[in-house]
Amino acid sequence: MRKALVAGNWKMNGSLEANRALLSALMEAIPGHDAVDVAVCPPALYLPSVIAQLQDHAIEVGGQDCSDEKSGAFTGEIAADMLREIGCRYAIVGHSERRAREQEDSLWVARKFVAAQAAGLVPILCVGELLEDREAGRTESVVAEQLDAVLDLAGVEALSSGVVAYEPVWAIGTGLTASPEQAAEVHAFIRNRVAARSTSVAASLRILYGGSVKADNAAGLFALPDIDGGLIGGASLDADAFTAIVNAAVGVQSQESA
Ligand code: PEP
């Protein structure tokens, strides 16, 4: 059975004080789980203080992005080695907000995936279609292009220590969630596409769903066969909501293992 992962993407939110309060509440409410990994991805500037506060707690930490370059003259960039050195376990790569705002294309994202993995991080590769893509029937071709860029550059085996997050762009921060059928369809598509290169990697690959996951829809989504947890934006800033989402994942995992 795949271990679920629930990761909170704080985006450009928080302050030293707000982070401390949020983490204290999460540390109390979320014990270490054998069935579910939990992570938070704060803005880079807050990583050291978040990592210090979470020391000895099972909640792990990730960066929201990393450079595709190892070091050098790249003003403003953060290398994957730096994230690893200060204690991150994960790095999100290819979030749709960065693909859109920073014009990160799929090859660039694939290079970030490779850089993260080379540094010992677990990359969380975000893929997903725009509303216009879905309406034009292009969901699978868009997701395939984003996924194939990593498969082609890194090789399928690289995904055995990576994570994919399917995040339909039209569902991010909008309150719209993919219906269980829509999510299940794309998750199955992703797993099958990986399986075409390696069935064993596909079988063990964690594929998260992201896009307006809330306390009240998490369990329904996580119960779907190819969904192995979630990448949570807005709701990860609320201790009660994030805890409820983690508990939903724990509940689904324990039903599946019973
Ligand atoms: C995200 O940005 O990764 C995300 C899923 O956001 P939200 O949960 O707010 O839709």
Side-chain angles (χ1 to χ4, degrees), residues 88-171:
C88 284
R89 173 154 172 74
Y90 298 95
I92 298 171
V93 296
H95 192 281
S96 61
E97 286 154 14
R98 296 196 60 83
R99 289 184 192 259
R101 279 183 62 95
E102 317 298 330
Q103 279 96 49
E104 291 185 5
D105 63 18
S106 294
L107 179 57
W108 190 1
V109 171
R111 286 169 51 83
K112 288 175 181 238
F113 185 102
V114 169
Q117 219 160 36
L121 296 165
V122 176
I124 301 176
L125 168 70
C126 298
V127 298
E129 81 286 4
L130 302 171
L131 185 57
E132 67 215 51
D133 296 321
R134 176 161 284 272
E135 287 174 349
R138 288 193 300 261
T139 298
E140 290 190 352
S141 60
V142 168
V143 169
E145 187 271 336
Q146 295 169 339
L147 189 61
D148 287 357
V150 171
L151 291 169
D152 292 345
L153 188 73
V156 66
E157 291 300 329
L159 277 188
S160 59
S161 50
V163 174
V164 174
Y166 169 56
E167 300 208 304
V169 180
W170 48 272

Side-chain angles (χ1 to χ4, degrees), residues 9 11 95 97 167 171-174 210-214 231-235:
N9 174 11
K11 311 193 185 191
H95 192 281
E97 286 154 14
E167 300 208 304
I172 294 181
T174 57
S212 297
V213 177
K214 306 279 178 239
L231 182 55
I232 319 298

Side-chain angles (χ1 to χ4, degrees), residues 216-231:
D216 58 2
N217 61 17
L221 288 160
F222 297 164
L224 296 167
D226 284 305
I227 299 190
D228 308 305
L231 182 55

